[in-house]
Amino acid sequence: MTETSEPERVRRRLVNVPGGELEAFVNEFSDPRAPVVCTAHPALAYGHGTIGLIEDLSRGRAVAVNPRGVGGSSPPPSRPFGEALTGMVDDLESVRCHLAIDRWTFWGMSGGAWLAMVYACRYPHSLAGV
């Protein structure tokens, strides 16, 4: 994992996942017991602004992950759309484990809601909510 310092409490991280690397933005929230909210979208890049929005809405810790092929993440492998969503969710689960987060709430709209539903079916034990 590579870290670069960013303004305020947000850090850009590159997280190694099987066969690639994902760009993630994480706020350094002062209370480690605060709830963690993760967000991702299959086609839109998220960054500092997204972290600020999630932090303001949840009053907790925020993680924005750019899937493969989005933002600064590795290119995606070629696969059918349904398998692509499953692969994105598997990558999100790898990020959660890498960041040592027990459970998080997944926030998604539009394509991110698709990810949320696949995540809830595939890794229910990892989610505090959707």
Side-chain angles (χ1 to χ4, degrees):
M1 174 181 74
T2 306
E3 293 187 27
T4 57
S5 181
E6 299 291 344
E8 300 174 23
R9 296 184 323 256
V10 178
R11 287 198 170 287
R12 176 183 177 266
R13 296 182 180 199
L14 296 175
V15 179
N16 292 320
V17 295
E21 190 172 64
L22 297 183
E23 179 182 50
F25 292 86
V26 181
N27 71 339
E28 303 296 329
F29 204 73
S30 58
D31 183 357
R33 298 167 297 154
V36 179
V37 178
C38 175
T39 190
H41 191 283
L44 299 174
Y46 287 157
H48 291 94
T50 306
I51 291 294
L53 172 67
I54 298 295
E55 185 178 18
D56 287 347
L57 292 172
S58 71
R59 300 288 183 239
R61 297 168 59 202
V63 179
V65 181
N66 289 323
R68 296 176 201 230
V70 179
S73 295
S74 298
S78 177
R79 53 187 166 200
F81 186 67
E83 290 178 26
L85 290 176
T86 300
M88 287 177 196
V89 165
D90 291 344
D91 283 347
L92 289 168
E93 181 64 2
S94 292
V95 170
R96 184 193 65 78
C97 292
H98 180 84
L99 296 175
I101 296 169
D102 182 43
R103 296 173 64 192
W104 57 17
T105 297
F106 192 87
W107 178 76
M109 37 189 275
S110 184
W114 293 358
L115 291 176
M117 293 299 101
V118 173
Y119 205 128
C121 290
R122 197 158 174 86
Y123 297 102
H125 62 279
S126 300
L127 293 173
V130 175

